[in-house]
């Protein structure tokens, strides 16, 4: 395996007064999607070297506008692409052989530090995470690591370590977080697809705010190794892509357990599900979020977009009716687990003084809430499964539909200068819908639901009971066939 390389920096250009300036190299068009890239490589209508070179050209062209990447593997990825081209020419075929992809900054890639949005000097990872190992086994070329907010805590991707990652639909706004770098990179066509992670909506929220499909799979579907139980079981890895088929293909490529993993659900065939009719489903539409002490409901434009999506589902033959899941006081289980998880990651940082004051506050709270309180919170999960699962088991619904967020994407800097408490309240008001499914460990899929009148993306969640990814993916694919959201791209 080639060694990983950081981004290569060059000094300022020196002008020669006797030579006319050369025109800038043209920026390649957005790269094709995951399945289309794989098809073109297999048909020999392009090469991995060309695809990867185009990826790096687009990343460089958007470095100062979008700022999606923390680390690039420029030399290593181009060497791996050349090797993939040799393997393809020899007749070898793998699901993603030669296809460029990106992973999030919380993911171990051998030779690169895992900063997870933090500032400071960290050693390079000695080995790949299990998800990256599976990506490589499928033939993918990992081009780099995308920006994340510090320890994945917030629904924005900003921080002193790397600046602000911006939304390609409107660069005055955030793409969301914490997988905002992955979302921005995919939405802008810098990469065909990317992995993110979701501990409280961190795949689904940026997918909603950048017009993407984002899958939060069942806990354990994609390994989080070298962690056995990331963020006290809240966090899972998941794909972001422009189409359901691409997200499903990436899910199939990385799904599977490491021998040391706690959670080992039976395998699914996501790509097959994306080609399957979901049948006629009973869908519950829920507007009321769980208790967050903010009193926030959906923004009128969010309500309009999700209502239109519900009407589309009805037109497609599904039965949709409003319902109220019995969330109870599920936040009392979420907060100890989330803060304890942050404390566990923050305690590993070699220079704690470099952490955001809000992170240090979470570290203190998580330390206090660890141990017995966390164990009690986790013990409540079985009862929460029964209470919320009654929506599916007793009431007979197949899918729950909610807004993914209560608000459109905020402006860059909207959370600057807020205390830890005000940040949490502002975040809970904007994003009250996603996190309960992390407590439950069940799957959910964000689908694009349209745009605000000013052109900002809005998303909706399809949520299911345990191990229901195939049903959710089939339903998302049916919606995509009708709405054709992939035809809408952000401005170049």
């Amino acid at each position: 395996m080639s060694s990983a390389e950081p981004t290569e920096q060059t000094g300022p250009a020196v002008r020669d007064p006797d030579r006319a300036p050369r025109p800038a190299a043209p920026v390649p068009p957005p790269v094709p999607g995951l399945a289309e890239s794989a098809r073109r490589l297999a048909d020999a209508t392009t090469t991995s070297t060309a695809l990867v070179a185009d990826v790096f050209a687009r990343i460089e062209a958007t470095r100062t506008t979008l700022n999606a990447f923390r680390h690039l593997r420029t030399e290593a990825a181009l060497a791996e692409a050349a090797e993939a081209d040799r393997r393809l020419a020899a007749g070898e075929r793998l699901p993603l052989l030669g296809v460029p992809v990106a992973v999030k900054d919380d993911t171990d890639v051998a030779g690169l530090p895992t900063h997870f949005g933090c500032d400071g000097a960290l050693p390079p990872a000695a080995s790949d995470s299990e998800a990256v190992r599976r990506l490589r086994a499928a033939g993918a070329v990992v081009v780099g690591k995308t920006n994340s907010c510090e320890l994945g805590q917030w629904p924005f991707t900003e921080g002193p370590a790397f600046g602000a990652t911006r939304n390609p639909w409107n660069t005055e706004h955030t793409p969301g977080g914490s997988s905002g770098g992955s979302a921005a990179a995919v939405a802008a066509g810098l990469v065909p697809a990317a992995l993110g992670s979701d501990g409280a909506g961190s795949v689904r929220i940026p997918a909603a705010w950048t017009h993407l499909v984002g899958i939060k799979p069942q806990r354990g579907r994609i390994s989080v190794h070298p962690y056995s139980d990331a963020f006290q079981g809240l966090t899972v890895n998941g794909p972001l892509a422009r189409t359901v088929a691409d997200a499903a293909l990436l899910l199939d490529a990385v799904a599977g357990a490491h021998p040391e993993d706690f959670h080992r659900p039976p395998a699914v065939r996501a790509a097959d599900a994306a080609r399957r009719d979901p049948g006629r489903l009973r869908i519950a539409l829920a507007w009321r979020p769980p208790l967050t002490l903010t009193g926030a409901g959906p923004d009128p434009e969010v309500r309009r977009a999700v209502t239109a999506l519900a009407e589309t589902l009805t037109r497609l033959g599904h039965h949709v009716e409003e319902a109220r899941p019995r969330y109870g006081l599920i936040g009392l289980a979420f907060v100890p687990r989330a803060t304890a998880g942050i404390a566990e990651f923050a305690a590993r940082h070699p220079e704690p003084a470099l952490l955001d004051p809000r992170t240090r506050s979470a570290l203190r709270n998580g330390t206090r809430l660890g141990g017995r309180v966390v164990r009690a919170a986790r013990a409540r999960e079985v009862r929460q499964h029964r209470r919320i699962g009654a929506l599916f088991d007793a009431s007979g619904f197949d899918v729950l539909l909610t807004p993914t967020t209560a608000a459109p994407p905020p402006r860059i800097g909207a959370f600057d200068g807020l205390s830890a408490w005000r940040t949490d309240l502002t975040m809970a008001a904007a994003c009250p819908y996603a996190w309960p499914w992390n407590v439950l460990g069940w799957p959910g899929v964000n689908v694009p639901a349209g745009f605000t009148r000013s052109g900002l993306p809005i998303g909706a969640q399809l949520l299911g009971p345990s191990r229901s990814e195939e049903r959710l993916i089939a339903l998302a694919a049916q919606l995509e066939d009708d709405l054709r959201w992939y035809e809408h791209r952000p401005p170049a």
Side-chain angles (χ1 to χ4, degrees):
M1 182 177 65
S2 301
S3 61
E5 296 290 341
T7 307
E8 297 177 5
Q9 302 291 338
T10 58
V14 178
R15 295 190 63 186
D16 182 345
D18 297 324
R19 296 179 61 187
R22 288 184 294 180
V27 178
V31 297
L34 202 69
E36 178 65 13
S37 293
R39 185 192 65 77
R40 293 185 189 182
L41 288 167
D43 292 348
T45 55
T46 191
T47 65
S48 180
T49 299
L51 282 177
V52 171
D54 285 353
V55 162
F56 286 125
R58 284 192 63 78
I59 292 171
E60 178 58 27
T62 60
R63 183 170 53 84
T64 59
T65 53
L66 298 183
N67 186 29
F69 280 82
R70 182 72 183 267
H71 299 287
L72 295 179
R73 304 181 62 249
T74 309
E75 293 182 15
L78 286 167
E80 291 166 13
E83 175 60 22
D85 286 333
R86 288 190 286 272
R87 294 165 68 184
L88 286 160
E92 186 175 352
R93 295 293 180 266
L94 290 169
L96 299 179
L97 184 55
V99 179
V101 297
V103 300
K104 187 177 174 180
D105 189 29
D106 63 347
T107 306
D108 281 1
V109 176
L112 293 180
T114 304
H115 278 106
F116 203 173
C118 297
D119 205 350
L122 295 174
S127 59
D128 291 332
S129 67
E130 178 66 13
V132 170
R133 187 194 70 78
R134 289 178 178 270
L135 276 177
R136 293 189 193 277
V141 177
V142 178
V143 298
K145 298 176 69 170
T146 57
N147 278 322
S148 164
C149 64
E150 194 168 283
L151 303 185
Q153 301 166 80
W154 305 304
F156 55 88
T157 302
E158 302 164 42
F162 59 88
T165 297
R166 296 175 180 271
N167 196 319
W169 292 92
N170 183 326
T171 56
E172 296 301 311
H173 291 259
T174 180
S178 60
S179 305
S182 287
V186 176
L190 311 187
V191 288
L195 274 184
S197 60
D198 191 314
S202 287
V203 162
R204 290 162 289 157
I205 291 166
W209 285 347
T210 58
H211 198 65
L212 297 178
V213 177
I215 300 178
K216 175 216 172 294
Q218 177 77 21
R219 185 185 297 150
R221 177 74 60 213
I222 301 173
S223 176
V224 293
H225 192 270
Y227 313 105
S228 57
D229 196 40
F231 282 82
Q232 293 294 326
L234 297 177
T235 295
V236 299
N237 292 321
L240 293 119
R242 293 185 61 247
T243 68
V244 176
D246 282 355
L249 177 59
L250 187 55
L251 177 57
D252 281 342
V254 296
H258 185 274
E260 298 176 7
D261 285 348
F262 290 165
H263 311 288
R264 311 173 71 86
V268 296
R269 299 174 65 91
D272 288 348
R275 296 187 288 267
R276 192 160 62 228
D277 189 306
R280 187 174 186 270
L281 301 175
R282 292 193 71 227
I283 300 172
L285 171 59
W287 296 110
R288 185 175 180 179
L291 180 66
T292 59
L293 303 180
T294 65
D299 179 275
E301 293 204 88
V302 171
R303 192 175 185 105
R304 171 186 55 78
V306 177
T307 297
L309 192 77
E311 291 169 351
T312 299
L313 288 165
T314 300
R315 178 170 52 77
L316 291 172
H318 303 290
H319 174 80
V320 181
E321 65 177 274
E322 292 193 18
R324 285 189 177 182
R326 294 176 55 224
Y327 290 115
L329 298 178
I330 192 170
L332 296 179
F334 173 77
V335 171
R337 294 169 69 171
T339 55
I342 293 166
E344 290 164 4
F345 275 79
R348 301 187 186 108
H349 197 284
E351 299 178 84
L354 294 177
L355 296 173
D356 189 293
R358 293 169 290 188
T359 301
R360 297 199 298 271
S361 174
L363 170 58
R364 292 190 294 271
N365 292 335
T367 301
R368 287 195 294 266
L369 294 175
R372 185 173 62 183
V373 177
V374 167
R375 289 193 295 272
R378 298 202 67 169
R380 295 180 62 85
E381 191 175 303
V382 173
R383 281 172 286 174
Q384 290 157 348
H385 284 167
R386 286 198 299 266
R387 185 179 65 248
I388 300 172
L391 182 79
F392 306 106
D393 300 331
S395 299
F397 288 104
D398 300 298
V399 172
L400 172 63
L401 170 68
T402 79
T404 302
T405 68
R411 286 186 172 272
I412 295 290
F415 292 80
D416 287 356
L418 298 182
S419 67
W421 175 245
R422 291 302 306 172
T423 297
D424 288 345
L425 284 179
T426 306
M427 176 172 63
C431 303
Y433 291 104
W435 56 269
W437 248 242
N438 295 88
V439 176
L440 300 171
W442 293 348
V445 177
N446 176 80
V447 294
F451 299 88
T452 67
R453 289 177 177 84
S454 61
L456 295 171
I458 295 169
Q461 293 186 109
L462 306 174
L463 303 171
S466 180
R467 304 173 183 178
S468 59
E469 287 102 322
E470 291 188 358
R471 179 189 303 158
L472 301 178
I473 289 168
L475 181 60
Q478 184 187 50
L479 275 169
E480 182 180 90
D481 286 344
D482 186 83
L483 297 175
R484 303 178 70 83
W485 52 61
Y486 51 83
E487 294 179 350
H488 300 279
R489 283 188 176 272

